Amino acid sequence: MKMPETTSTFFDYMGFSGEWSDTFQLEIDMQPHLLQDDGTVHPGVFSTMLDIIMGANISIETQSFAATINLNLSFFDLLPKEKYRAETTVLNQDGKYVTAEGTIYDQNHSLIAKGIGTFKTSPIIQE
């Protein structure tokens, strides 16, 4: 199942694409505007990628809105690669609080970044 179409200009600007199968996956191709002055990938790219994928996975699994309340990240390689793919799994759910783990790999399946986040869920308001 493909991720729902987005109207987020930020999501589109970043160049993300996503897909849901057994796990939710988010991908991005390297683009020049994602690089810092020193030629490395800005860590914010990976932070954003992990935040989006964990929040989207939680939202899909819980059928609710997920707001980030804590995000812990580690970056292992900021040298530019051709393509990145993020995967996520839900680790724990306690009432409206959900913890997920996300991992980013390059096209050679080398570990690039990893994060754990806690999200607060709330009902999606239908109008």
Side-chain angles (χ1 to χ4, degrees):
M1 174 168 54
K2 224 173 162 34
M3 192 169 123
E5 292 296 319
T6 179
T7 57
S8 168
T9 55
F10 180 70
F11 189 95
D12 296 337
Y13 174 76
M14 293 295 292
F16 293 124
S17 62
E19 186 174 309
W20 176 267
S21 55
D22 292 337
T23 61
F24 184 69
Q25 294 183 13
L26 187 64
E27 295 183 348
I28 191 169
D29 294 330
M30 180 45 53
Q31 300 169 41
H33 70 275
L34 303 176
L35 299 176
Q36 301 185 96
D37 291 342
D38 66 359
T40 60
V41 180
H42 192 289
V45 173
F46 300 132
S47 302
T48 301
M49 197 170 185
L50 289 168
D51 187 40
I52 288 172
I53 192 168
M54 288 187 282
N57 189 37
I58 290 167
S59 290
I60 290 167
E61 287 195 15
T62 64
Q63 294 296 299
S64 60
F65 178 77
T68 310
I69 58 174
N70 186 43
L71 196 56
N72 296 302
L73 307 168
S74 296
F75 307 104
F76 306 108
D77 187 357
L78 296 177
L79 295 175
K81 306 297 190 292
E82 183 180 324
K83 184 183 246 3
Y84 298 96
R85 185 186 79 256
E87 300 172 352
T88 187
T89 55
V90 171
L91 300 175
N92 184 58
Q93 182 172 359
D94 185 11
K96 57 186 164 187
Y97 298 99
V98 183
T99 301
E101 176 181 64
T103 310
I104 298 176
Y105 299 97
D106 68 11
Q107 70 276 4
N108 298 316
H109 205 65
S110 296
L111 181 62
I112 300 299
K114 188 170 190 145
I116 293 180
T118 302
F119 296 76
K120 182 178 179 182
T121 60
S122 60
I124 298 173
I125 299 171
Q126 303 288 330
E127 292 192 31

